[in-house]
Every structure is written in C-alpha cells, then in structure tokens.
Amino acid sequence: TRSIFLTVTCSSYILLSIPVSLFIYKVVFRILYFDFIHVVVIFIILGIGADGTLVVIDAFNQSKGLFEHQLDRLIYSFNRSTTAVFTTSFTTVVAFIVTAFVPVVPIS
C-alpha cells in the first residue's frame, strides 16, 4: 500500500501484543518457567498479526472500484474481512489449546 501510517500502525499493534501477552503469562497466570522455545512465540505473534493485516489490506484493495470515499472502503473492508481474520486466529488458538495437553515441558 506504500503507506507509512499503515506500516507503523500495524507493526505497533503487533509488537505491543508481546508485552501484553508476557504480562498475562507471568503476572496473571503466575507461570515462572521460561525457556528458549518461548522465544518462538514472538515469531508466531508476528505471523498471526501479519496474516490479519494482510487480509484486511486485501479486502481494502478489492473495494477500490466499489466506493468513492475512503471511510466507506474501510467499513466495507472490515466487514468483509472480519470472518476470515476470526477464523484464522481461532484455528491458531485451538491449535495452542491442543498443545497444552502435550506432555513435553517446553510446549505444555
């Protein structure tokens, strides 16, 4: 999209989710165990965030001929991409819940 604003905004919300998830992990759930394999979570979070961002951007690009105003395009894009973003994120959450039952210590 060649938009600096979009790049900074999407990168910020993806990167700000890392300290939030670490806070939930350490403070809310009080899990003290932290291993090198937990660093992989950073790449997983980046992948999930980038996937959702790309779906919304694709829907926005597809709305180019349908609407004149940017706000109408944005509303259309969010409405169109909500189901796809939810589905991809939900399947990832289910996969992580399943790994909670795996008896390997760094994974469970």
Side-chain angles (χ1 to χ4, degrees):
T1 63
R2 298 183 182 146
S3 169
I4 298 297
F5 175 75
L6 185 63
T7 303
V8 170
T9 304
C10 293
S11 298
S12 297
Y13 93 80
I14 293 169
L15 293 175
L16 287 174
S17 68
I18 294 171
V20 171
S21 60
L22 188 60
F23 175 80
I24 292 170
Y25 185 78
K26 292 277 190 180
V27 176
V28 175
F29 292 130
R30 297 181 184 187
I31 300 173
L32 301 176
Y33 180 77
F34 193 84
D35 197 10
F36 179 72
I37 197 166
H38 290 95
V39 177
V40 175
V41 170
I42 295 170
F43 299 104
I44 294 170
I45 291 172
L46 290 172
I48 293 169
D51 181 47
T53 302
L54 292 174
V55 170
V56 173
I57 289 173
D58 185 52
F60 185 76
N61 289 336
Q62 289 177 2
S63 70
K64 188 177 274 186
L66 299 175
F67 302 99
E68 287 183 30
H69 301 290
Q70 295 285 340
L71 183 60
D72 294 333
R73 288 181 65 193
L74 192 61
I75 292 169
Y76 171 81
S77 302
F78 279 124
N79 289 337
R80 181 180 171 134
S81 62
T82 302
T83 305
V85 171
F86 174 77
T87 303
T88 57
S89 299
F90 182 73
T91 55
T92 304
V93 168
V94 169
F96 282 117
I97 290 171
V98 168
T99 61
F101 299 106
V102 175
V104 178
V105 174
I107 296 175
S108 61

